[in-house]
Amino acid sequence: MILITGGLGYLGGRIAKYLLNSGERVRVASRRSATKFELEKLNDCEFVAINLLDRDSLEAACHGVKSIVHLGAMNAKDSEERPDEALMVNGLGSLKLIESAIKKNVKNFLYFSTVHIYGFPLKGVISESTVPRPLHPYSITHRIAEDYVLQANSDTLINGMVFRISNAVGSPLHKNTNCWNLVANDLCKQTVINNKMLIKSNKFIQRDYIPISMICDITHQFITGKCVSTSGENIFNISSGISMGLNDLTQLISDLAFELFNKKPAVEFLGNNSKVNIELSISRSKLNMNKCLADVDIYDEIKELLLNCKRWFVSDNKK
C-alpha cells in the first residue's frame, strides 16, 4: 500500500492516477473529502481524511502502508499570508507524519520539497551540494521538513528521501484543481479563452520546466526500488537540467495552439523586458548516477493541457 498525502492536489492526483495505472495499491489522504469527479477518476483508491497536526489520524492513515509520498503542505501564497500556520503544517505536520510512519513500520518516506530552498532568484549551476538559502515562508518551512526526513533516514528509522522539484508542467486531473496560477497553466488557459497571452514577468527569466509525467515515473521508480540512493544522503533535484526563458515557453505554447486549433495567439509581455543575464542550470546528475531515467520533454504535457483547457473552459463559456 502506498499512502499519498495531499493526494487530491495538483501533483498528488496525477501521481495517484499513475500509480494506480501501474498496478499499485494507493491510499489517498487529504484534509478534505473527495469530490464526485475525484472519486470517479481515482475510483480504485482508498480515501482517508487526515490532519497533519493530529497524530491519531496520521497513525490510522499509515496502518498497513509500505511507502509514503508526502505532498501535503500549504502552498506558496498561503504560506506567505500565514507564515505561522505554514510553520506548523509544513514543519511540525511533517515531523508528526514521520513519527507516525516510523511507529507503523513504514519502509519508505518520499518527501516532496522545492528547488526554491536554494534561494531567490535561482541562478548559476545548482546541485544538491549547493548551500540552501530559503528566503520565503514556503521554502523555509520545506527546508525544516527536509531536515526531519534526513535525520530519520540518518538514524536508520526509515528510508527517507527528499525530492527538490523544479517547475512542474502538466494538466491536473480536473479543472477545479488549484493550479491555474502556475505560469504554464495560466498561459494555456489564456490561450484557449482569449487567443492571447499576457505576461507580467520578464520574458528572459530562466526556469527549469519538467513534465508531471516525469515526476510520476521517478516516484514509481524509487518506490519499486529501480532507483536507489548510492550516495548516503538522499537528496535529489527533480529537474530537466535545461533552462527555458518565458519567451521560449510562450513560443512553444503558441506553436502547439496553432497545431491543435489553427490559431496563433498574440503574446504581450507587460513587465520590464530588459535583457536578464542570469543563467540557470539545476543539475540532475544524481538522478542520472542512480539510473533514474525519465523523459524531460514538456511537449506532450503542454499539448494535453491545451486540449483540456479548451474542453473545460471554452465549452463552459458557450453555455
Side-chain angles (χ1 to χ4, degrees), residues 13-30:
R14 285 285 305 271
I15 292 173
K17 186 67 174 175
Y18 183 93
L19 294 177
L20 282 175
N21 291 343
S22 300
E24 304 292 348
R25 294 171 59 216
V26 177
R27 180 178 295 159
V28 168
S30 177

Side-chain angles (χ1 to χ4, degrees), residues 152-170:
N153 179 73
S154 178
D155 292 341
T156 66
L157 298 173
I158 199 167
N159 182 27
M161 287 165 277
V162 170
F163 294 162
R164 292 171 175 166
I165 309 294
S166 63
N167 293 79
V169 174

Side-chain angles (χ1 to χ4, degrees), residues 49-80:
I50 61 164
N51 178 343
L52 285 172
L53 300 178
D54 178 64
R55 202 178 299 273
D56 289 340
S57 74
L58 296 178
E59 290 182 8
C62 290
H63 182 72
V65 167
K66 181 180 179 181
S67 300
I68 292 177
V69 176
H70 183 30
L71 290 152
M74 290 175 60
N75 63 30
K77 181 176 181 294
D78 291 341
S79 295
E80 183 174 24

Side-chain angles (χ1 to χ4, degrees), residues 95-165:
L95 173 60
K96 286 180 178 290
L97 180 60
I98 294 165
E99 291 174 340
S100 298
I102 293 168
K103 184 175 180 179
K104 290 296 183 178
N105 299 311
V106 175
K107 180 181 178 181
N108 302 312
F109 193 100
L110 282 60
Y111 179 67
F112 280 68
S113 184
T114 171
V115 294
H116 294 290
I117 64 100
Y118 292 116
F120 179 85
L122 295 173
K123 58 183 178 180
V125 178
I126 295 173
S127 71
E128 292 85 352
S129 62
T130 301
V131 177
R133 290 285 187 267
L135 297 172
H136 187 281
Y138 177 72
S139 52
I140 290 169
T141 52
H142 271 291
R143 182 72 178 96
I144 291 169
E146 285 188 8
D147 283 343
Y148 286 134
V149 175
L150 296 173
Q151 183 62 50
N153 179 73
S154 178
D155 292 341
T156 66
L157 298 173
I158 199 167
N159 182 27
M161 287 165 277
V162 170
F163 294 162
R164 292 171 175 166
I165 309 294

Side-chain angles (χ1 to χ4, degrees), residues 199-319:
I199 305 100
K200 296 180 180 179
S201 300
N202 188 298
K203 64 182 179 181
F204 297 110
I205 289 177
Q206 297 283 305
R207 293 177 179 172
D208 184 300
Y209 297 99
I210 53 173
I212 293 180
S213 56
M214 168 189 159
I215 299 172
C216 296
D217 193 4
I218 287 175
T219 300
H220 194 223
Q221 289 184 54
F222 271 97
I223 287 173
T224 57
K226 292 179 181 177
C227 287
V228 293
S229 173
T230 58
S231 61
E233 186 179 7
N234 292 2
I235 302 174
F236 294 89
N237 290 337
I238 309 298
S239 64
S240 70
I242 305 166
S243 293
M244 177 185 289
L246 277 176
N247 53 336
D248 298 315
L249 178 65
T250 56
Q251 185 62 55
L252 174 59
I253 293 172
S254 179
D255 290 345
L256 274 170
F258 183 75
E259 177 186 321
L260 293 170
F261 313 129
N262 200 31
K263 291 183 179 180
K264 198 80 168 177
V267 178
E268 183 177 354
F269 286 91
L270 304 177
N272 174 10
N273 288 304
S274 56
K275 182 70 174 178
V276 176
N277 295 313
I278 299 178
E279 296 298 321
L280 173 65
S281 175
I282 302 176
S283 171
R284 52 175 283 122
S285 60
K286 280 184 69 175
L287 279 180
N288 295 338
M289 284 191 299
N290 287 277
K291 297 181 171 57
C292 300
L293 304 176
D295 186 7
V296 300
D297 192 346
I298 63 173
Y299 177 93
D300 287 339
E301 290 283 4
I302 293 287
K303 188 173 183 178
E304 183 182 13
L305 188 51
L306 282 167
L307 289 170
N308 280 338
C309 281
K310 185 173 180 63
R311 178 165 60 91
W312 290 333
F313 301 113
V314 174
S315 59
D316 281 358
N317 290 342
K318 291 180 179 178
K319 291 179 180 178

